[in-house]
Amino acid sequence: MSKGKGKNKKTNAAKIVEQWTEMDLTAMAREGILPRAFAVEEQIAQIEDLLAAGRFPLLTGESGVGKTALVHELANRAVAGQGPAVLQGRRILQISIRRRVGALKHPSELRPEMEKLVRALKKLGPKVVPFFRDFHFGWFHDIEPLLLSVAAQTSGVVLAEGEEEPVENMLECWRELQHYFAVLRIDEPDLGRMATILSCWNEHQAAEHGRRFEPEALDEALHLAHRFLVRDCHPRRALTLLEQINSDRTGVALGAPQVIERFCRRHRVPRLLIDPRIDLDLAVIRARFGQRILGQPQAVETMVDMIAAMKTRLTDERRPFGVFLFVGPTGVGKTHVAQLLAEFLFNKRERLIRFNMADFQTPQAAYSLFGDPDDHRPRQIQGLLTLRIMSQPCGVLLLDEFEKANPLVHDRFLQLMDEGCFINGRGQTISCRSTIVIATSNAGSEVHAGNTLGFKDVADRQRIDREVDRLLSREFRVEFLNRFDRIVHFHCLGRQDTRAIALGELQRLEHRAGLRQRGYKLEIDDTVLNWLADNGHDPRYGARFLRRAVERHVTTALAAEIVAANPSTGARISLSVRENRIQAKTLRPDTVFASSTLKKRSLNGKKKRRLRQKLEVLPR
């Protein structure tokens, strides 16, 4: 009778533990389905030393550094009769507090359920080794005394893993926990150790599944993961990429070209940028940017130089692809360059992460951007910058009107610009190595105020640039300006540039719904471009003033003509200047009208045809 009763109690204890169990690591290791971890001898030796001293390892570290994988490897080795002797012959169970809370009707039920678990583990004895994968949840649910009871009452071993900050809070408030648990921080492996990990993983894949990556394919995968995939740490991000490629492979061995092709397809990074087999003609790119960035040759050259460095992989892998300060008067194309760069590199302007820094003028703004550790809301703890970067880790980060942000905000950006990462309010290290950082500033724009359309010569521009640099040193500290790879000076637009922008605005006007849907075509007289160049330019506002002039004088004239004449579908409408005003008039079908075209004086006909053919193959 007593024997049966005891056996029944043991069965009940097993059932209680089963309710908390996420995975039976020992059973999975025996079946050969538990993933292996490689190049972890040093960490396993540290765990063995802690267990030999009677302490329980509590693993902390960034997401993806291999904390869980390390415990899984302990289970694999224990089944094989290797690793710490105290784990061999034991049943290692992965327990999840989060999973158990999710199965309850109300979180208040967790404490009595946890008390049952403590009694059950004590009953089962040292043969069961609990591995609390989310130990930090004890802090959020106030069950530290019960976790202390698990450690104090067990006659065996306890393994644990948790997030660093709440674990530190637990140990500080419940110092008794430190008597049993020793924190072992797992750091992200460097690139040298990552190469070893990938090589061992590759040999294991070949032995178990007969599938292998060529050595250059492993190098390529490591480079791409390190440079472009920033949501996790190594080794998870590199191994995840290889496993994704493995899932849809067709051959026994894969080389670097297959890795590049699958990576670009999955992560929408243009092959033109990373595939060494695709040639990149810098003259074509320079011409393309020059056609769309008018009057700013220094900006064009800077972007072309950066693209060349990215293509040849000569950028510093510890920093963003580029960190630039665009300085000059408003409305001359600073933001436009950032948009075009996102469009060229990532095929869409939406890959632009834009912040108006005028919104962050108070000291508290630094917490809004980088996270507030004292807040209780998850989004506010992480901060706006974390949320935007993590949702779009590869792109252009545009910091508009940077001089208007609070100096404390400037200070927080120092680490991001110098080291390619920042630490948010949650204590997470957020990588920005796969971004291009562009800060814009109107500081020193008063130097340009006395200049009308264009400059007399190069020496004049250089003189103004030196004066702007002097004013920048007053606006920003030297250590901040030194973080930029290059300070790019933008200048007031010349007359020909203004005419070209005016023609572009009128061509875009033709694509608006009111004209496009009825097939109206605009015939533009040269006098219109001259009039807009004279009346639509203001050195203080640049191209923005020109756009307002187009809306005020051209759009209203077109609207009045369409309402009054109600032209038939496909009609032609002329734009000309009469009595110093823009006038729109519907043309008769037989009217001959010489419309304006933008002259490209720098290219002869043969060069122009060759460039046009090359530009057609570049991403739009």
Side-chain angles (χ1 to χ4, degrees):
M1 180 76 179
S2 61
K3 285 185 180 181
K5 189 175 181 180
K7 186 177 181 181
N8 189 50
K9 282 186 178 180
K10 193 172 182 180
T11 301
N12 289 338
K15 287 181 179 179
I16 290 171
V17 173
E18 186 177 345
Q19 292 176 329
W20 288 78
T21 300
E22 196 172 40
M23 290 192 292
D24 186 333
L25 301 184
T26 302
M28 293 175 68
R30 287 198 182 105
E31 294 174 18
I33 60 175
L34 195 62
R36 301 301 304 264
F38 306 98
V40 291
E41 305 304 326
E42 181 181 347
Q43 290 88 344
I44 287 181
Q46 290 175 313
I47 291 174
E48 195 163 6
D49 289 343
L50 287 174
L51 293 175
R55 305 284 298 281
F56 303 145
L58 174 50
L59 309 182
T60 65
E62 299 285 346
S63 174
V65 296
K67 303 184 295 295
T68 305
L70 182 58
V71 177
H72 290 183
E73 180 62 17
L74 286 172
N76 278 315
R77 297 192 181 196
V79 167
Q82 302 169 356
V86 71
L87 296 178
Q88 296 175 22
R90 308 291 173 89
R91 187 182 176 207
I92 304 175
L93 301 179
Q94 184 168 303
I95 288 176
S96 172
I97 300 173
R98 183 204 299 263
R99 178 176 178 270
R100 189 69 187 114
V101 171
L104 300 175
K105 293 182 179 180
H106 194 273
S108 61
E109 300 175 12
L110 178 63
R111 182 174 288 272
E113 290 298 315
M114 187 69 186
E115 291 171 350
K116 293 179 184 178
L117 176 65
V118 172
R119 291 192 293 268
L121 289 173
K122 182 180 180 182
K123 193 73 177 177
L124 292 176
K127 290 296 182 182
V128 171
V129 175
F131 163 45
F132 289 91
R133 185 170 180 261
D134 43 18
F135 191 83
H136 57 279
F137 265 74
W139 170 256
F140 300 128
H141 294 281
D142 298 322
I143 56 171
E144 295 93 337
L146 295 171
L147 291 172
L148 180 61
S149 296
V150 171
Q153 296 184 28
T154 185
S155 54
V157 173
V158 178
L159 305 176
E161 169 196 334
E163 294 181 3
E164 191 165 13
E165 185 179 6
V167 163
E168 289 177 355
N169 292 335
M170 292 172 70
L171 297 180
E172 184 176 347
C173 294
W174 293 85
R175 295 190 179 276
E176 297 91 339
L177 285 170
Q178 297 183 39
H179 179 73
Y180 299 98
F181 291 98
V183 173
L184 178 59
R185 178 177 171 80
I186 307 299
D187 294 317
E188 182 178 23
D190 59 26
L191 294 181
R193 184 167 158 235
M194 270 307 305
T196 302
I197 291 172
L198 295 188
S199 178
C200 295
W201 176 87
N202 194 36
E203 293 302 320
H204 179 73
Q205 289 290 311
E208 294 292 321
H209 309 290
R211 298 181 296 187
R212 180 187 296 275
F213 286 86
E214 298 294 341
E216 63 271 15
L218 294 178
D219 292 341
E220 190 66 47
L222 179 56
H223 167 78
L224 294 175
H226 182 71
R227 208 57 167 116
F228 291 97
L229 307 181
V230 300
R231 293 190 180 185
D232 280 318
C233 295
H234 287 310
R236 180 190 291 170
R237 57 175 155 170
L239 290 174
T240 298
L241 174 60
L242 288 171
E243 286 164 359
Q244 288 173 346
I245 296 170
N246 237 346
S247 64
D248 59 0
R249 69 188 298 165
T250 54
V252 174
L254 285 185
Q258 289 79 21
V259 169
I260 291 173
E261 188 267 329
R262 286 164 172 78
F263 172 83
C264 292
R265 189 172 66 237
R266 281 182 175 271
H267 297 284
R268 296 179 297 165
V269 175
R271 291 185 65 180
L272 176 76
L273 193 63
I274 63 174
D275 195 336
R277 297 173 301 166
I278 300 177
D279 293 332
L280 192 64
D281 193 326
L282 296 182
V284 175
I285 297 173
R286 187 176 290 107
R288 177 175 174 181
F289 273 92
Q291 290 171 359
R292 303 178 70 180
I293 304 170
L294 301 174
Q296 311 300 341
Q298 186 185 7
V300 172
E301 287 302 318
T302 299
M303 295 302 100
V304 172
D305 290 347
M306 186 200 64
I307 290 170
M310 292 173 68
K311 174 67 175 179
T312 54
R313 301 185 180 181
L314 295 179
T315 56
D316 189 342
E317 293 189 348
R318 299 166 299 177
R319 301 183 68 240
F321 284 123
V323 182
F324 306 103
L325 176 61
F326 289 177
V327 61
T330 185
V332 294
K334 299 188 294 293
T335 300
H336 184 54
V337 172
Q339 293 170 335
L340 292 179
L341 193 61
E343 180 182 328
F344 176 79
L345 292 176
F346 308 112
N347 297 320
K348 56 172 61 178
R349 291 194 179 192
E350 289 73 19
R351 296 289 279 273
L352 184 72
I353 305 169
R354 183 175 181 179
F355 287 96
N356 184 351
M357 302 309 292
D359 296 335
F360 302 95
Q361 299 188 35
T362 66
Q364 291 74 27
Y367 294 110
S368 299
L369 270 174
F370 291 90
D372 186 354
D374 296 325
D375 207 300
H376 64 280
R377 295 163 295 181
R379 292 175 65 88
Q380 278 66 29
I381 295 174
Q382 288 185 301
L384 290 173
L385 194 56
T386 295
L387 298 174
R388 296 289 298 278
I389 290 289
M390 296 300 277
S391 65
Q392 194 170 292
C394 185
V396 179
L397 174 61
L398 176 62
L399 309 171
D400 255 338
E401 299 185 290
F402 199 78
E403 77 281 2
K404 294 183 179 179
N406 189 274
L408 291 177
V409 174
H410 293 172
D411 291 342
R412 292 300 303 272
F413 273 101
L414 290 174
Q415 183 187 22
L416 187 156
M417 294 174 173
D418 197 40
E419 302 176 17
C421 65
F422 66 92
I423 298 173
N424 66 12
R426 196 178 177 186
Q428 297 171 305
T429 299
I430 307 300
S431 174
C432 301
R433 288 191 296 265
S434 60
T435 61
I436 299 161
V437 181
I438 296 176
T440 73
S441 174
N442 296 330
S445 58
E446 61 269 21
V447 178
H448 297 268
N451 292 273
T452 55
L453 293 174
F455 293 87
K456 294 177 181 179
D457 52 33
V458 174
D460 193 24
R461 288 197 174 202
Q462 291 175 344
R463 176 185 61 79
I464 289 177
D465 289 350
R466 288 194 297 270
E467 180 63 18
V468 170
D469 287 338
R470 187 181 67 81
L471 294 175
L472 280 177
S473 64
R474 292 182 180 179
E475 190 73 40
F476 301 108
R477 300 197 312 275
V478 173
E479 59 266 32
F480 183 78
L481 292 175
N482 283 340
R483 294 304 199 279
F484 292 105
D485 297 329
R486 196 175 301 181
I487 296 175
V488 182
H489 291 270
F490 284 69
H491 301 100
C492 294
L493 300 171
R495 181 180 176 81
Q496 284 301 112
D497 299 326
T498 305
R499 291 181 83 255
I501 293 172
L503 180 59
E505 290 297 320
L506 295 176
Q507 290 171 340
R508 277 188 283 274
L509 181 62
E510 195 173 32
H511 288 85
R512 294 189 183 180
L515 300 180
R516 185 186 70 250
Q517 291 173 356
R518 298 189 65 180
Y520 293 152
K521 300 297 181 183
L522 296 182
E523 303 286 353
I524 306 166
D525 190 89
D526 271 339
T527 57
V528 174
L529 300 182
N530 293 332
W531 189 93
L532 288 172
D534 293 334
N535 297 276
H537 178 269
D538 188 314
R540 295 171 299 174
Y541 304 113
R544 292 189 181 92
F545 188 82
L546 177 63
R547 294 189 189 104
R548 288 198 294 270
V550 170
E551 293 296 326
R552 181 179 176 182
H553 299 285
V554 180
T555 305
T556 54
L558 277 172
E561 173 64 13
I562 292 171
V563 170
N566 191 22
S568 59
T569 300
R572 293 180 301 145
I573 303 174
S574 72
L575 292 174
S576 58
V577 178
R578 296 289 184 273
E579 298 178 355
N580 201 32
R581 294 181 60 185
I582 302 291
Q583 184 180 74
K585 184 177 180 181
T586 305
L587 297 174
R588 295 194 306 270
D590 58 346
T591 303
V592 176
F593 190 92
S595 62
S596 173
T597 57
L598 181 60
K599 295 179 181 178
K600 300 177 178 63
R601 295 170 296 173
S602 60
L603 298 174
N604 60 37
K606 189 177 292 185
K607 269 189 175 181
K608 196 189 302 181
R609 284 194 297 273
R610 286 202 300 266
L611 275 175
R612 190 181 298 116
Q613 291 169 356
K614 289 183 177 181
L615 285 169
E616 287 173 356
V617 303
L618 289 175
R620 295 287 179 185

